[in-house]
Structures are given as C-alpha cells and as structure tokens.
Amino acid sequence: MNYMYRQMPQTMQGMQPKQVTVVEPYVYAAATTLVGKRAVVETTRGNVSGVVMDAKPDHIVLQERESTFFVRLCEVVWIMPE
C-alpha cells in the first residue's frame, strides 16, 4: 500500500507553541484590596460569596464555611464587598 503523508504548510513548519496568559489587571487590583474581607463575586455562571483568602493574577480564592472556591478572573463580571 502506498500512503501519502500530509505535510504542514511552510508557514507552520518550525514554529513552537507559545503560552498565552490573559490578565485582567483592574479586576486583579480590585480583588487584592478585598483580601481578608467578605465579598460577592458575580461570574458568568452565577455568584459566589465568602471571604477573599487570596488573589492571584489569574484567579481569586474565596472561602465560605468549609468550602473553598477558586474563581478564574476571566470569568468575573463584577466584585462587590459585602
């Protein structure tokens, strides 16, 4: 049997994948001011409330009783202190 192999277009040959990071600087800055305080975070999937335990450039950590929530900043619609 004779199989034909497809070659990548010349524009794709030799290219390496690149990591892309999405940063929401204003949402991150707002979240850092709320560390240690209670807040409500509205996401594209609904809202989450609790104490903001930590804020990183890509996510925030909320704790409500024994539950811990990691919310990606690209999913945040708004943040409001309680």
Side-chain angles (χ1 to χ4, degrees):
M1 295 187 141
N2 188 2
Y3 292 100
M4 293 184 66
Y5 293 97
R6 283 187 167 181
Q7 288 188 351
M8 295 177 109
Q10 285 189 351
T11 56
M12 296 291 288
Q13 289 178 352
M15 293 182 67
Q16 297 294 319
K18 294 182 182 179
Q19 182 175 352
V20 176
T21 305
V22 177
V23 178
E24 304 285 345
Y26 293 104
V27 179
Y28 172 62
T32 57
T33 64
L34 296 173
V35 173
K37 301 175 185 171
R38 290 194 57 81
V40 178
V41 178
E42 178 72 26
T43 71
T44 58
R45 304 281 311 245
N47 63 7
V48 181
S49 63
V51 177
V52 179
M53 301 302 291
D54 196 9
K56 301 289 185 198
D58 65 333
H59 71 278
I60 60 175
V61 181
L62 290 164
Q63 183 151 14
E64 181 64 30
R65 297 188 187 121
E66 291 85 35
S67 299
T68 303
F69 301 96
F70 297 85
V71 181
R72 294 182 62 190
L73 291 184
C74 62
E75 297 293 321
V76 171
V77 177
W78 51 261
I79 300 175
M80 180 176 68
E82 265 189 0

